[in-house]
């Protein structure tokens, strides 16, 4: 720029051009999205990203639909998400690659009852429903009843430094109290979240001494 001030005007022009392109692209995406919303409202078929149990035409994939139904059935019987995966993965091998938290996302998805949830505007009859409304709202009620508010995250000196020798997963630190006081211990996060089939290391790391209350 010191040798050729004209380059500054070229730079400004390129910045304006990039901004105009970005704005135009955003407007086209919004218009395409709104067109899909209009089609969905009048019952026309649309192509959007669909959840695990649906194909690109918004129809149920039979074998995957059965998996999700079985998961919902066990959850309503009182099973936790980790236990559901451990219970069913022998029958449905695909569940070995599914994280327990993914099941909760499935259970909240309004596509279960055929609705497209977009920006809070639920459009009915977009997908082939997997369960009826009564089961869906029973499922939501059960999830709400089991919800536990997490306590504020604590920072431990060895957080992020201790890893499992079996799988390389980070150790998860927690605080526990008993008659002797309070101590900090840790376990492999993969073992805690997914169970023994995913990591055989169930040993606890007790790097801290007991502390009196």
């Amino acid at each position: 720029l010191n040798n050729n001030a004209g380059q500054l005007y070229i730079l400004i022009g390129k910045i304006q051009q990039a901004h105009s392109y970005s704005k135009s692209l955003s407007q086209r995406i919004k218009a395409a999205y709104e067109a899909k919303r209009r089609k969905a409202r009048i019952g026309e078929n649309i192509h959007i990203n669909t959840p695990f149990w649906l194909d690109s035409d918004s129809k149920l994939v039979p074998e995957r639909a059965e998996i999700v139904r079985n998961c919902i059935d066990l959850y309503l019987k009182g099973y936790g998400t980790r236990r559901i995966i451990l219970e069913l993965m022998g029958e449905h091998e695909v569940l070995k690659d599914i994280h327990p938290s993914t099941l909760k996302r499935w259970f909240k998805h309004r596509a279960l009852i055929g609705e497209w949830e977009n920006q809070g505007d639920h459009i009915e009859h977009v997908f082939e429903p997997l369960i009826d409304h009564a089961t869906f709202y029973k499922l939501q009620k059960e999830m709400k009843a089991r919800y536990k508010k997490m306590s504020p995250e604590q920072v431990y000196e060895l957080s992020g430094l201790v890893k499992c020798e079996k799988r390389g997963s980070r150790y998860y630190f927690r605080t526990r109290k008993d008659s002797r006081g309070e101590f900090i211990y840790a376990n492999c996060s993969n073992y805690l979240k997914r169970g023994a089939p995913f990591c055989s290391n169930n040993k606890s790391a007790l790097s801290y001494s007991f502390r009196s209350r």
Side-chain angles (χ1 to χ4, degrees):
L1 292 178
N2 289 334
N3 297 327
N4 186 355
Q7 293 294 324
L8 179 60
Y9 296 100
I10 295 175
L11 176 61
I12 293 173
K14 288 185 178 294
I15 292 173
Q16 289 177 329
Q17 185 180 25
H19 175 71
S20 297
Y21 174 78
S22 177
K23 185 177 180 179
S24 176
L25 181 62
S26 175
Q27 290 172 342
R28 291 201 301 270
I29 292 174
K30 288 180 179 178
Y33 188 80
E34 185 56 39
K36 288 184 178 182
R37 288 159 58 92
R38 289 196 298 270
K39 287 183 178 180
R41 289 194 182 97
I42 62 176
E44 292 186 17
N45 189 36
I46 60 173
H47 291 283
I48 57 176
N49 290 331
T50 54
F52 170 78
W53 59 92
L54 294 170
D55 61 21
S56 58
D57 293 321
S58 303
K59 301 297 183 183
L60 294 175
V61 179
E63 59 274 16
R64 292 190 172 191
E66 180 186 1
I67 292 172
V68 180
R69 285 195 191 97
N70 290 344
C71 290
I72 292 173
D73 182 57
L74 290 181
Y75 190 81
L76 292 176
K77 289 179 179 178
Y79 285 57
T81 52
R82 189 181 88 162
R83 186 182 172 192
I84 289 172
I85 290 176
L86 296 178
E87 188 80 14
L88 296 177
M89 68 182 187
E91 181 181 354
H92 305 293
E93 190 172 352
V94 68
L95 287 176
K96 291 181 180 179
D97 299 322
I98 301 297
H99 194 276
S101 61
T102 300
L103 294 191
K104 292 183 179 180
R105 289 198 296 271
W106 289 355
F107 297 164
K108 292 179 181 178
H109 211 303
R110 298 190 72 88
L112 288 171
I113 51 176
E115 293 183 2
W116 180 25
E117 183 176 3
N118 58 97
Q119 301 177 352
D121 179 17
H122 304 158
I123 302 177
E124 299 179 344
H125 313 301
V126 175
F127 310 110
E128 184 178 358
L130 178 72
I131 57 177
D132 57 35
H133 282 69
T135 303
F136 178 77
Y137 288 113
K138 182 179 180 181
L139 182 61
Q140 305 315 301
K141 183 178 180 181
E142 180 66 20
M143 292 185 68
K144 186 176 181 181
R146 295 197 206 180
Y147 174 75
K148 293 181 180 180
K149 186 176 182 180
M150 300 297 290
S151 57
E153 184 178 358
Q154 291 181 274
V155 178
Y156 300 102
E157 293 177 5
L158 297 180
S159 290
L161 300 178
V162 182
K163 293 188 177 181
C164 174
E165 64 176 351
K166 301 288 186 182
R167 301 296 294 269
S169 306
R170 292 196 309 171
Y171 260 55
Y172 178 68
F173 285 80
R174 292 168 291 173
T175 301
R176 184 175 178 180
K177 296 179 181 179
D178 65 11
S179 59
R180 293 170 289 178
E182 180 181 287
F183 66 97
I184 299 173
Y185 68 109
N187 295 93
C188 169
S189 57
N190 204 38
Y191 170 79
L192 287 176
K193 293 177 181 179
R194 309 202 66 186
F198 296 91
C199 184
S200 60
N201 183 11
N202 61 356
K203 296 179 181 179
S204 297
L206 296 172
S207 301
Y208 288 72
S209 302
F210 284 88
R211 299 183 297 190
S212 59
R213 297 179 182 176

